[in-house]
Amino acid sequence: LYGLLDSYLKNDVVSIQESIVHHVEFTLARSRYKFDTREAYFAAAHSLRDRLIERWNDTQAWIKHKDPKRVYYLSMEFLMGRTFLNALHNLGVMQPYQHALSGLGYDMEKVQQAERDAALGNGGLGRLASCFLDSMATLNLPAWGYGIRYEYGMFRQVVSEGFQKEQPDYWLTFGYPWEIQRPHVAYPVKFYGHVSVHESQDGRQNFVWNAGEEVTAVAYDNPIPGFKTPSTINLRLWAAKPCQEFDLEAFNTGDYVSSIIDKQKAETITSVLYPDDKTFEGKELRLKQQHFMVSATLQDIVRRYKEQHETFDAFPEKVAMQLNDTHPTLGIPELMRILMDENHLGWTRSWEITTKVFSFTNHTVLPEALEQWPVSLVEKLLPRHMQIIYDINWRFVQELEQNHGISGDKLGSMSIILDTEYGKMVRMAYLALVASHTVNGVAAIHSKLIKETIFKEFHDIWPEKFQNKTNGVTQRRWLAQCNPPLNRLITETLGTEAWITHLDLLKGLAAHAEDETFQQKWAEVKVEAKAKLASLLKDLTGDDLNMDAIFDVQVKRIHEYKRQFMNILSVALRYDRIKSMTEKEKEEVVPRVVIIGGKAAPGYDMAKRIIKLISAVSETVNNDPDVGDLLKVYFVPDYNVSLAEVIVPGSDLNQQISTAGTEASGTSNMKFAMNGSLIIGTMDGANVEIAEEIGEENMFIFGVGAQEVPALRSQREYLQVDPQFQHAVNLIQNGHFGWADYFSPLIESITGSRDWYLLANDFESYLDAQERVDQEWRDKASWTRKSILSTAGSGKFSSDRTIHEYAEDIWGVEPLPPTIPE
Ligand SMILES: CCc1ccc([C@H](C)CC(=O)N[C@@H]2O[C@H](CO)[C@@H](O)[C@H](O)[C@H]2O)cc1
């Protein structure tokens, strides 16, 4: 156990067994003589929870004692996945628990699989927030995560007849051992109603919000353990509950049941995660969720601050808040409301404080994803906030005119309030930009793009606000835990496991990249991980995979800009080519197992057609004896964090093939590179920096550059389409995989002047890159060398480096190495 000097709980095997059996009997109330694997999981989880709580209490007490500047990460999504293995690893008790459980007759592998993923997120943005929590804890930062405790997380994807079906993810069926309900940490959250203004005797105007509806936000705390440190920070998730007050009127008119039901309605606010990461849809419930999360969070942060401070003078020195995209932007008018209406600070003072505490991260340049809430809706749901937003905008426009000499249309184009034919809209990104002291993109190319495109006018007047913070991932979960054989080989080779907290040390592997023995060991580790992936696919499909084949993986949300369509077009072509080969020629074919996975937003029709197309090609190819095991295609259903933990280590090649300028960063690219999987990809997002770090020669780069895209788009209809591309399109159009009509909208989307994501433009160089892949695979030593150099060059892409930069350059918070308070 790391660091805790007077830990009450012992971690020898016997103590752990006693604690597990204790929880079987007294927490699960099951007979200690007969309990199944799931109960063993819950009992072991509760026993580990005890050890987390001990550290957590000490960490929180220590932070309170030192009263440092704290950082709060506000996010509508935290894609946590499973916790058991991560907690065992970070607390350094994996072994004793393994022995304890096997001593009781349970296999750790089976036990850990009994845990449901906490899938409180859609994809990249949500998973990044979770990786950040792990790094903030490991770096001993006085940090909190704040979000929503959805009862239904990301939907479960079932693929039937090749079509995606969404199933509700009620993940709390058997309870969740990693959370602690805090009934006493509860705040009223108000909606609707109207604002009245009252003159106070000293002539000041007091705004009073007479709400039409009130619910209670109750906290659920999730301890987040750091690696090799007692530091255990807090992820506080809010759940909506009916507020206690009862309007006796309804109560006594004998309409008891309906008033209860009515109250019950409150809970629906936090019942389900919006499974959409494509298009912003102005749904009222989504806006309610955003206000609910930020209001409870701001009230909690101000309460904690006021416990140790009389005035708000030190607030900016004690509080930093990061907005994870625009989704928590209502936190800005909410803090203004709390400071002005509840603490009677004037506008100027309140604004001064607000603009010193907030910073904002943008995660996408896609216009359809940028949030614009109708003024009419905000006014109805949050009348006081809309007033404050109007005031913020009015003063901002003043400043533009007076300090920046901006006038006319440009004023309108920069205004937070946008006039459209559908009525006035609030541009949340502009509100976040105006109120935040810092704005960052998530990869170098993306941060440059937002300065040159969507936020250009703001960059022109406030260049100092703009920074880049290239994403990262936690190597604890995404290497040390999900790939134990590679973990052992790296530790053995480097002679230390310090890389688990200092990933730059991986570069020490480069010296071994040419060494045959090491290459041998490296290849064996990959085969071990491939075998694990192959047995997962065997469970799913019954198929035995060709282990000499390239395991070619593309796993991420289904989206036209991520071009899963281009991937499957190239597979259709590869299939057609093999079909027309002689047996002799087939001997030269480099076998492939194509693995594609990802969920489509329920309302995203094109993405759903792409899933069906992949399934249809898979159906045809996998049942064609002419092809045999030279080519297999699989769409793995219900891609999520725990599936990724098996797929990433087991892949040889991974596809990061978005149209340049569309993928803000990507983070799976980093996970694959760390696990020695070679990237075929475009110069987009973080692929650009990965190429800088590991060497472009160790990747298969193709495609047009971001700066060429706008021009190519305007000339698309005049493009001389590559015959191979046309042939691949014809294969689908002519029904080679069936469902030709159903796929025709897909075909139309990439022909003529459409093809917004330039599949036709990039197809030829994509096929060339694929050819280079096959070529490289034939030279095992060279492939393995590239694989070693991928891992060796991945040091930069640790979320520890990313968080260190945020702490230094944006938040101004220091690590607070925990020590037991006197
Ligand atoms: C309003 C609907 C909605 C919800 C979520 C989003 C997210 C911003 C989408 C997202 O997850 N973006 C991804 O964020 C990752 C973490 O920074 C990046 O690595 C990915 O490139 C980016 O697509 C867009 C639109």
Side-chain angles (χ1 to χ4, degrees):
L1 186 60
Y2 305 121
L4 261 194
L5 305 175
D6 66 344
S7 158
Y8 156 70
L9 299 165
K10 295 287 163 277
N11 285 293
D12 58 279
V13 173
V14 176
S15 307
I16 289 171
Q17 285 176 330
E18 283 165 357
S19 140
I20 292 174
V21 173
H22 166 89
H23 282 294
V24 168
E25 184 139 15
F26 301 113
T27 304
L28 307 182
R30 307 291 298 165
S31 136
R32 66 174 176 276
Y33 300 111
K34 200 173 77 44
F35 51 99
D36 65 19
T37 303
R38 181 199 304 276
E39 285 146 355
Y41 158 68
F42 276 100
H46 277 282
S47 130
L48 197 51
R49 168 191 150 120
D50 298 342
R51 286 153 176 77
L52 283 173
I53 289 171
E54 199 180 28
R55 303 158 147 254
W56 186 44
N57 284 339
D58 289 347
T59 304
Q60 303 309 325
W62 182 236
I63 293 175
K64 192 171 180 65
H65 175 69
K66 298 295 282 185
D67 187 27
K69 182 172 188 180
R70 296 159 169 93
V71 57
Y72 299 106
Y73 199 81
L74 278 58
S75 180
M76 289 293 281
E77 303 184 21
F78 287 94
L79 195 42
M80 303 295 283
R82 289 174 174 151
T83 290
F84 189 46
L85 219 58
N86 180 247
L88 286 170
H89 188 256
N90 282 13
L91 270 62
V93 293
M94 175 68 81
Q95 281 216 328
Y97 268 80
Q98 209 138 25
H99 295 147
L101 282 166
S102 54
L104 293 168
Y106 298 90
D107 160 46
M108 175 62 87
E109 189 58 32
K110 295 229 173 354
V111 167
Q112 65 102 12
Q113 281 179 7
E115 180 177 3
R116 286 285 290 273
D117 273 36
L120 307 183
N122 276 278
L125 172 142
R127 181 57 232 177
L128 185 83
S130 299
C131 282
F132 279 7
L133 289 178
D134 182 79
S135 287
M136 290 194 271
T138 301
L139 295 175
N140 302 315
L141 293 182
W144 273 257
Y146 276 104
I148 289 185
R149 180 184 183 266
Y150 303 102
E151 285 184 76
Y152 292 86
M154 187 63 197
F155 65 79
R156 318 279 300 270
Q157 178 191 54
V158 173
V159 177
S160 68
E161 313 290 313
F163 291 98
Q164 168 180 296
K165 296 271 174 293
E166 298 89 24
Q167 294 203 335
D169 169 44
Y170 190 71
W171 64 294
L172 295 164
T173 312
F174 296 94
Y176 187 59
W178 310 110
E179 68 179 4
I180 291 103
Q181 184 180 3
R182 299 289 201 197
H184 62 285
V185 181
Y187 298 95
V189 177
K190 303 190 285 186
F191 301 102
Y192 306 112
H194 65 279
V195 179
S196 53
V197 187
H198 308 268
E199 282 302 309
S200 58
Q201 57 279 80
D202 60 359
R204 222 153 5 98
Q205 285 189 319
N206 279 339
F207 292 84
V208 177
W209 178 14
N210 315 290
E213 182 186 312
E214 184 176 304
V215 301
T216 301
V218 174
Y220 286 74
D221 287 346
N222 300 258
I224 307 292
F227 178 80
K228 271 219 167 158
T229 165
S231 150
T232 300
I233 66 173
N234 192 19
L235 169 58
R236 179 159 280 180
L237 300 178
W238 301 103
K241 308 282 180 193
C243 72
Q244 306 322 315
E245 285 76 41
F246 263 70
D247 55 0
L248 292 176
E249 192 36 50
F251 202 73
N252 296 331
T253 52
D255 177 359
Y256 168 71
V257 174
S258 64
S259 66
I260 295 287
I261 300 303
D262 179 36
K263 288 282 171 205
Q264 217 47 32
K265 212 159 76 301
E267 294 187 10
T268 58
I269 292 174
T270 54
S271 53
V272 61
L273 165 77
Y274 271 82
D276 190 342
D277 75 342
K278 177 187 172 336
T279 320
F280 165 68
E281 279 166 284
K283 291 277 187 311
E284 182 162 341
L285 178 58
R286 171 73 173 181
L287 186 62
K288 265 185 139 177
Q289 290 183 338
Q290 293 183 351
H291 173 63
F292 174 83
M293 191 278 273
V294 297
S295 180
T297 297
L298 266 292
Q299 292 183 67
D300 195 40
I301 290 171
V302 169
R303 185 266 312 158
R304 183 174 302 112
Y305 170 82
K306 288 174 86 170
E307 267 172 12
Q308 299 182 287
H309 301 91
E310 298 308 303
T311 73
F312 281 92
D313 297 351
F315 195 77
E317 277 71 54
K318 294 295 182 181
V319 173
M321 285 188 268
Q322 190 69 31
L323 303 175
N324 197 15
D325 215 285
T326 56
H327 313 153
T329 299
L330 283 171
I332 292 162
E334 174 66 358
L335 178 60
M336 288 294 285
R337 184 187 70 80
I338 291 172
L339 294 177
M340 295 191 298
D341 300 357
E342 296 183 1
N343 292 275
H344 310 297
L345 274 65
W347 176 279
T348 313
R349 186 84 191 91
S350 305
W351 184 245
E352 196 190 342
I353 290 170
T354 298
T355 53
K356 280 191 179 147
V357 296
F358 282 110
S359 45
F360 154 58
T361 301
N362 169 274
H363 295 268
T364 181
V365 295
L366 301 180
E368 68 266 29
L370 300 178
E371 295 190 300
Q372 296 190 357
W373 287 104
V375 166
S376 56
L377 179 57
V378 180
E379 213 144 41
K380 181 181 79 175
L381 189 71
L382 304 166
R384 180 59 180 139
H385 295 74
M386 196 56 237
Q387 285 178 342
I388 294 170
I389 293 171
Y390 268 132
D391 289 355
I392 292 173
N393 192 48
W394 183 75
R395 291 160 190 262
F396 168 53
V397 170
Q398 293 266 313
E399 185 196 340
L400 289 179
E401 285 169 320
Q402 282 147 20
N403 307 10
H404 301 277
I406 293 173
S407 58
D409 298 3
K410 188 148 182 209
L411 272 184
S413 69
M414 294 180 75
S415 167
I416 296 168
I417 309 296
L418 170 67
D419 258 317
T420 74
E421 74 242 70
Y422 316 103
K424 289 181 184 307
M425 303 293 232
V426 181
R427 291 190 273 207
M428 300 311 274
Y430 287 15
L431 175 56
L433 260 167
V434 169
S436 294
H437 57 80
T438 305
V439 182
N440 74 283
V442 290
I445 186 176
H446 170 62
S447 297
K448 187 166 171 296
L449 261 176
I450 61 177
K451 289 191 283 191
E452 294 162 356
T453 60
I454 54 173
F455 300 151
K456 183 177 182 332
E457 289 141 326
F458 292 87
H459 178 255
D460 294 346
I461 59 169
W462 294 323
E464 74 289 349
K465 274 195 180 185
F466 288 77
Q467 294 190 22
N468 173 51
K469 291 287 169 277
T470 298
N471 283 165
V473 300
T474 170
Q475 65 266 30
R476 270 74 66 186
R477 183 180 292 267
W478 295 110
L479 183 45
Q481 289 159 27
C482 70
N483 200 339
L486 187 53
N487 174 341
R488 283 191 293 278
L489 178 57
I490 293 171
T491 301
E492 174 201 309
T493 309
L494 297 178
T496 170
E497 62 168 21
W499 59 271
I500 301 179
T501 48
H502 296 81
L503 202 59
D504 287 338
L505 293 172
L506 287 184
K507 64 177 169 296
L509 296 171
H512 304 267
E514 323 282 341
D515 169 59
E516 258 171 56
T517 335
F518 183 68
Q519 286 185 352
Q520 190 48 42
K521 288 182 186 165
W522 192 267
E524 280 155 19
V525 160
K526 180 55 77 174
V527 167
E528 224 178 305
K530 285 178 76 168
K532 206 168 161 205
L533 175 52
S535 77
L536 180 145
L537 278 164
K538 179 158 180 70
D539 298 349
L540 277 172
T541 67
D543 291 4
D544 290 310
L545 300 192
N546 172 354
M547 296 306 286
D548 301 329
I550 299 176
F551 282 19
D552 165 354
V553 172
Q554 185 178 23
V555 284
K556 52 190 72 236
R557 290 295 297 262
I558 309 295
H559 214 294
E560 287 161 283
Y561 84 80
K562 295 173 185 281
R563 301 202 290 190
Q564 285 92 352
F565 189 12
M566 187 166 77
N567 182 349
I568 202 65
L569 276 172
S570 75
V571 172
L573 204 58
R574 179 181 291 269
Y575 166 64
D576 186 62
R577 285 195 179 141
I578 295 171
K579 284 280 285 179
S580 56
M581 280 180 184
T582 63
E583 287 315 308
K584 188 94 193 66
E585 286 166 329
K586 284 181 185 172
E587 280 157 21
E588 295 314 306
V589 170
V590 173
R592 287 258 181 138
V593 173
V594 174
I595 297 165
I596 302 176
K599 294 171 180 175
Y604 192 177
D605 177 63
M606 278 298 197
K608 288 188 161 181
R609 290 176 195 267
I610 291 170
I611 292 175
K612 175 58 183 175
L613 175 60
I614 297 164
S615 308
V617 171
S618 164
E619 186 68 25
T620 305
V621 171
N622 296 6
N623 299 300
D624 186 330
D626 287 357
V627 172
D629 67 3
L630 291 179
L631 180 61
K632 291 291 183 205
V633 183
Y634 296 100
F635 184 87
V636 281
D638 203 31
Y639 175 65
N640 60 16
V641 172
S642 42
L643 203 51
E645 289 169 8
V646 176
I647 291 175
V648 168
S651 91
D652 297 302
L653 180 76
N654 68 94
Q655 307 234 12
Q656 311 291 340
I657 60 175
S658 54
T659 311
T662 59
E663 189 70 86
S665 164
T667 44
S668 70
N669 44 10
M670 299 165 183
K671 296 162 188 170
F672 282 109
M674 257 173 218
N675 284 274
S677 174
L678 303 191
I679 292 175
I680 179 168
T682 53
M683 275 304 195
D684 194 20
N687 295 357
V688 176
E689 289 155 85
I690 293 174
E692 284 162 13
E693 295 294 313
I694 74 175
E696 194 172 327
E697 68 283 1
N698 298 313
M699 299 163 74
F700 305 97
I701 298 293
F702 72 93
V704 301
Q707 68 292 347
E708 302 163 71
V709 168
L712 288 169
R713 273 193 178 136
S714 57
Q715 292 144 24
R716 172 63 184 79
E717 58 197 309
Y718 314 113
L719 174 75
Q720 190 49 43
V721 170
D722 169 57
Q724 303 167 101
F725 177 77
Q726 197 50 56
H727 182 59
V729 166
N730 298 346
L731 288 172
I732 294 165
Q733 215 159 20
N734 307 344
H736 264 68
F737 308 102
W739 301 87
D741 300 352
Y742 181 73
F743 298 141
S744 58
L746 276 176
I747 299 297
E748 274 138 40
S749 76
I750 58 170
T751 44
S753 63
R754 302 274 302 282
D755 195 10
W756 183 252
Y757 295 110
L758 304 180
L759 280 73
N761 301 71
D762 272 351
F763 199 65
E764 189 181 1
S765 66
Y766 177 48
L767 291 182
D768 292 352
Q770 291 283 25
E771 193 43 52
R772 279 184 276 143
V773 169
D774 285 346
Q775 210 50 38
E776 188 67 29
W777 186 255
R778 292 191 178 95
D779 179 345
K780 279 282 166 286
S782 176
W783 184 284
T784 307
R785 180 177 161 283
K786 283 181 166 53
S787 173
I788 295 166
L789 293 174
S790 293
T791 302
S794 295
K796 173 180 178 178
F797 305 104
S798 166
S799 45
D800 297 351
R801 183 269 314 153
T802 313
I803 289 296
H804 181 71
E805 290 178 359
Y806 273 92
E808 293 264 300
D809 309 342
I810 300 180
W811 302 332
V813 295
E814 309 279 320
L816 188 70
T819 313
I820 311 305
E822 287 76 39

